[in-house]
């Protein structure tokens, strides 16, 4: 919804999570208090590779009981700067997530 393509898909009746909260992330935080953040103002769109990498990053950090590291701006910046250049055609891209987490520590 944050892009022209997203607007066209919604206008054409295609499925896309649209509306006011179409580009947001929400969850439960701090003793069951709802939390939400919008991410509609990024400089560019993300590739499917970027989305796969971030999903794997969150999953691996959750498994390691280290989700708090995602709130550390220095650590997260180091991870993102290493993951962002991953080309779409990279074989086994989630292996890169594991390698980077191991390199930087959880």
């Amino acid at each position: 919804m944050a892009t022209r393509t997203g607007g066209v898909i919604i206008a054409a009746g295609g499925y896309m999570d649209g509306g006011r909260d179409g580009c947001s992330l929400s969850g439960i935080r701090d003793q069951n208090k709802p939390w939400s953040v919008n991410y509609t103002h990024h400089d560019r769109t993300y590739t499917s590779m970027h989305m796969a990498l971030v999903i794997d990053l969150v999953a691996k950090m959750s498994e390691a009981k280290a989700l708090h590291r995602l709130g550390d701006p220095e650590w997260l910046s180091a991870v993102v700067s290493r993951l962002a250049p991953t080309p779409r055609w990279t074989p086994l891209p989630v292996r890169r997530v594991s390698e980077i987490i191991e390199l930087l520590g959880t």
Side-chain angles (χ1 to χ4, degrees), residues 85-101:
T86 304
R88 288 183 191 179
W89 56 87
T90 301
L92 302 172
V94 294
R95 186 178 292 170
R96 286 193 37 80
V97 174
S98 298
E99 291 168 354
I100 291 167
I101 289 173

Side-chain angles (χ1 to χ4, degrees), residues 15-86:
Y15 176 77
M16 188 171 184
D17 200 8
R20 186 174 63 98
D21 297 324
C23 297
S24 67
L25 177 67
S26 60
I28 303 295
R29 172 176 165 178
D30 295 329
Q31 299 177 351
N32 299 326
K33 293 180 184 172
W35 170 85
S36 164
V37 64
N38 289 329
Y39 55 91
T40 59
H41 302 290
H42 291 259
D43 292 337
R44 62 182 179 78
T45 58
Y46 294 99
T47 65
S48 56
M49 175 63 75
H50 288 139
M51 298 309 293
L53 291 170
V54 79
I55 289 167
D56 192 55
L57 174 63
V58 172
K60 283 187 168 68
M61 296 309 291
S62 179
E63 289 169 13
K65 306 279 191 252
L67 285 172
H68 65 280
R69 294 302 300 253
L70 298 175
D72 177 349
E74 291 177 15
W75 185 87
L76 188 58
S77 178
V79 171
V80 169
S81 68
R82 287 171 173 83
L83 285 177
T86 304

